[in-house]
Amino acid sequence: MISQLPKWVEVGAFILALVAGFINAIGLLSFEHQSVSHLSGTATLLGASLLSFSLHKMLHLVGVLFAFLLGSILSGFLLHGASLKLGRHYDTALFLEAVLLSISLVLLYSGSFYGHFFASAACGLQNALATTYSGAIVRTTHVTGIFTDLGIMVGKLLRGQPLDQRKAKLFAFIIIGFVLGGTLGALLFVKYQFMALLFPIISCVLLAIIYREYAKRCG
């Protein structure tokens, strides 16, 4: 059951969703108006680009998709297992996400589109941080599934079934975090352009340090 999830899940999910919403806002405002925290739109753009026969655009979109996959593979390698558990290498994954975002920042600041790939890889790594546990799927880089699950829960509530309050609370944290991240990302990008990526970079590093210290004390 969702009630068996660790108590730190809501806070971690909120911060990660904030980071993802932030990165996605920068993507929509700068990466040719392209999302990088999820791939549905990218896959659609790839399909549409097949009609234009633009090899450069197709290769770029394929690169974004493949980079997201590589990030997920890296996370899967580090975080084996099907449950959220204190002591696993979430801190290492977060440090690696910060490194990928740092490389993305340097490349984008210098005008290289290769920075898109590293930003996508960072999001893929983060999206795979939380995995399936007791039927509850936690994803922090997009909210489509969250809204779907929340809608199902409300539908069941209207039929007289009890509401899983812990699950609803977790979903609310993710949605609010993603929206606020988008707001903050848009504000800072207008003022600082790609240097705004320093915010998610620093956030990942701080979250990794806090988690490592917490794991040492409670492990």
Side-chain angles (χ1 to χ4, degrees), residues 27-105:
L28 290 172
L29 292 172
S30 64
F31 303 166
E32 299 181 3
H33 305 293
Q34 176 186 319
S35 299
V36 292
S37 70
H38 52 89
L39 301 182
S40 299
T42 305
T44 301
L45 288 173
L46 176 60
S49 70
L50 296 176
L51 297 177
S52 65
F53 299 103
S54 173
L55 182 60
H56 179 270
K57 187 173 183 179
M58 285 189 289
L59 289 176
H60 178 261
L61 292 170
V62 169
V64 172
L65 293 170
F66 188 64
F68 193 97
L69 176 63
L70 287 178
S72 299
I73 291 172
L74 179 58
S75 185
F77 177 78
L78 289 172
L79 307 173
H80 54 84
S83 64
L84 293 170
K85 185 178 180 181
L86 189 66
R88 290 203 168 123
H89 297 290
Y90 299 117
D91 50 349
T92 303
L94 287 166
F95 278 126
L96 287 175
E97 181 178 355
V99 170
L100 291 170
L101 289 173
S102 297
I103 297 173
S104 175
L105 169 58

Side-chain angles (χ1 to χ4, degrees), residues 2-10 163-171:
I2 190 72
S3 59
Q4 297 176 356
L5 285 172
K7 294 181 179 180
W8 45 268
V9 166
E10 283 90 351
L163 178 69
D164 188 334
Q165 294 185 5
R166 177 83 192 277
K167 194 172 184 179
K169 180 182 176 182
L170 176 61
F171 288 167

Side-chain angles (χ1 to χ4, degrees), residues 2-216:
I2 190 72
S3 59
Q4 297 176 356
L5 285 172
K7 294 181 179 180
W8 45 268
V9 166
E10 283 90 351
V11 176
F14 173 82
I15 296 174
L16 290 177
L18 184 79
V19 166
F22 189 104
I23 297 171
N24 202 47
I26 293 179
L28 290 172
L29 292 172
S30 64
F31 303 166
E32 299 181 3
H33 305 293
Q34 176 186 319
S35 299
V36 292
S37 70
H38 52 89
L39 301 182
S40 299
T42 305
T44 301
L45 288 173
L46 176 60
S49 70
L50 296 176
L51 297 177
S52 65
F53 299 103
S54 173
L55 182 60
H56 179 270
K57 187 173 183 179
M58 285 189 289
L59 289 176
H60 178 261
L61 292 170
V62 169
V64 172
L65 293 170
F66 188 64
F68 193 97
L69 176 63
L70 287 178
S72 299
I73 291 172
L74 179 58
S75 185
F77 177 78
L78 289 172
L79 307 173
H80 54 84
S83 64
L84 293 170
K85 185 178 180 181
L86 189 66
R88 290 203 168 123
H89 297 290
Y90 299 117
D91 50 349
T92 303
L94 287 166
F95 278 126
L96 287 175
E97 181 178 355
V99 170
L100 291 170
L101 289 173
S102 297
I103 297 173
S104 175
L105 169 58
V106 172
L107 291 172
L108 291 170
Y109 189 78
S110 63
S112 173
F113 69 89
Y114 288 109
H116 302 178
F117 301 153
F118 285 92
S120 182
C123 289
L125 188 153
Q126 179 182 313
N127 196 45
L129 276 176
T131 56
T132 303
Y133 182 75
S134 299
I137 298 177
V138 180
R139 295 291 183 264
T140 58
T141 64
H142 55 88
V143 293
T144 304
I146 300 298
F147 272 103
T148 301
D149 291 343
L150 192 58
I152 292 172
M153 291 170 61
V154 173
K156 290 181 177 180
L157 178 64
L158 294 175
R159 289 173 51 191
Q161 297 184 23
L163 178 69
D164 188 334
Q165 294 185 5
R166 177 83 192 277
K167 194 172 184 179
K169 180 182 176 182
L170 176 61
F171 288 167
F173 268 81
I174 293 173
I175 293 170
I176 294 171
F178 196 88
V179 172
L180 291 179
T183 302
L184 186 59
L187 286 172
L188 293 185
F189 180 76
V190 169
K191 189 171 184 179
Y192 300 107
Q193 296 297 298
F194 290 118
M195 292 302 294
L197 285 172
L198 285 173
F199 174 81
I201 291 169
I202 294 172
S203 297
C204 287
V205 172
L206 289 177
L207 188 59
I209 293 173
I210 292 171
Y211 169 79
R212 179 172 290 184
E213 292 302 314
Y214 180 78
K216 286 180 180 178

